Amino acid sequence: MHELSIALSIIEGASSEASRHGDVKVSAVHLKLGPLSGVVKDALLFSFELACEETALEGSRLVIEEVPVLVFCPNCKMERTPPSIQQMCCPVCGEWTPQVVQGHELELVALEICE
Amino acid sequence: MNTAPRLIEVRQNVLKKNDVLARALRQRFRDAGVCVFSLVSSPGAGKTTLLEKTLTELRRRCHVAALVGDLATENDAARLARSEAPVKQIITGTVCHLEAAMVEQALEGWNLEELDCLIIENVGNLVCPSSYDLGEALRIVLMSVTEGEDKPLKYPTIFNTSDVAVITKIDLAEAVEFDLKAAHRSIQSVRPGMQMFEVSAKTGQGMDEWLELLQSRIAETVFRI
Ligand SMILES: [Zn+2]
């Protein structure tokens, strides 16, 4: 389980970004999470709350947007969402493809700050 | 005073620090002509045994070294030293995966120019290592026949983010009624087109093909500089 260290990285990134905007309070952190990031959403939410204690982000919310996996189907020449991450194929024509276009995201997208 | 929250855009990878460091490592390895492989697996997949045999064989043909990630309780480095290749241990303590910074630190004092190949053995874990780039050229995921054919379906992320899959302890396949075809199907389902090997470090079965892959990648790297 490495969600705690991921949570610490989020706090570090968010804090340093917030400090560039002066003396502000972060009320929410927006994160984009892909199924291939290796991070479990619930574990991350839990770890974030714990890790925020006694930091500048204490009391802030973590808002996670889960993005679907997208693969490129060489047959349809289209980006599509496979049936699951256990079945990396085109849902339309069934072609198997290793070309992942989206799904690894573990990205700090935005902060909500109060001045 | 404005009390309504304001939204500021950030757009930054959470593991940016690790990614930046891993990219720098990859460049360093490339410049020094070192081909770097990383091994990931569950605990008990036979990673250390395969690595010991691999180091012993590769050592006859090129300059190879290894970094071994261990939790505080293990000591694989001592076992690997029998291969007579330079081996350094990275004690991760409670951290269940290696990060690029740990690799960078472990390389201190080593002259990369003198190496052709470096093998990094990650901590036995099929979840956490998938998030961390170590600057390797190939990530190799191991699963033993005793773990069952559906291992890739249970851990799709690590299989999808790896480049090569190796099925270990193949000598036990019959005894544990391992369905090789089903295993191939699971691997191909999570990572279509993935290169697969079946080896037994104990009997030597499949070792030639496996070593051939490593050697061809090493030759490419050394030739490129
Ligand atoms: Zn298609």
Side-chain angles (χ1 to χ4, degrees), chain A residues 86-101:
Chain A
Q86 281 92 0
Q87 274 177 287
M88 299 296 269
C89 64
C90 174
V92 177
C93 72
E95 180 87 359
W96 295 93
T97 171
Q99 297 181 60
V100 177
V101 187

Side-chain angles (χ1 to χ4, degrees), chain A residues 1-2 5-6 9-10 12-13 17 21 27 30-32 35-39 85-88 96-98 100 104 106-115, chain B residues 1-15 17 96-97 99 125 127-128 130-132 152-154 156-157 160-161 186 188-192:
Chain A
M1 168 125 153
H2 63 313
S5 75
I6 302 275
S9 301
I10 294 173
E12 194 187 324
E17 187 60 32
H21 296 266
S27 56
H30 291 254
L31 190 81
K32 203 180 257 186
L36 293 171
S37 64
V39 174
I85 55 170
Q86 281 92 0
Q87 274 177 287
M88 299 296 269
W96 295 93
T97 171
V100 177
H104 295 113
L106 177 57
E107 198 184 301
L108 203 56
V109 186
L111 300 178
E112 281 177 39
I113 57 172
C114 302
E115 273 140 310
Chain B
M1 196 179 133
N2 184 7
T3 48
R6 181 159 69 94
L7 198 69
I8 52 173
E9 226 182 285
V10 186
R11 300 216 150 266
Q12 184 189 96
N13 193 329
V14 171
L15 296 175
K17 247 194 198 162
C96 49
H97 59 267
E99 298 184 12
N125 180 340
V127 182
C128 312
S130 59
S131 306
Y132 299 87
L153 303 177
K154 288 182 182 154
T157 301
N160 189 273
T161 56
S186 332
Q188 294 301 323
S189 188
V190 297
R191 177 67 147 96

Side-chain angles (χ1 to χ4, degrees), chain A residues 73-78 80 90-95:
Chain A
C73 173
N75 203 18
C76 303
K77 309 225 176 325
M78 289 271 290
R80 302 203 191 269
C90 174
V92 177
C93 72
E95 180 87 359

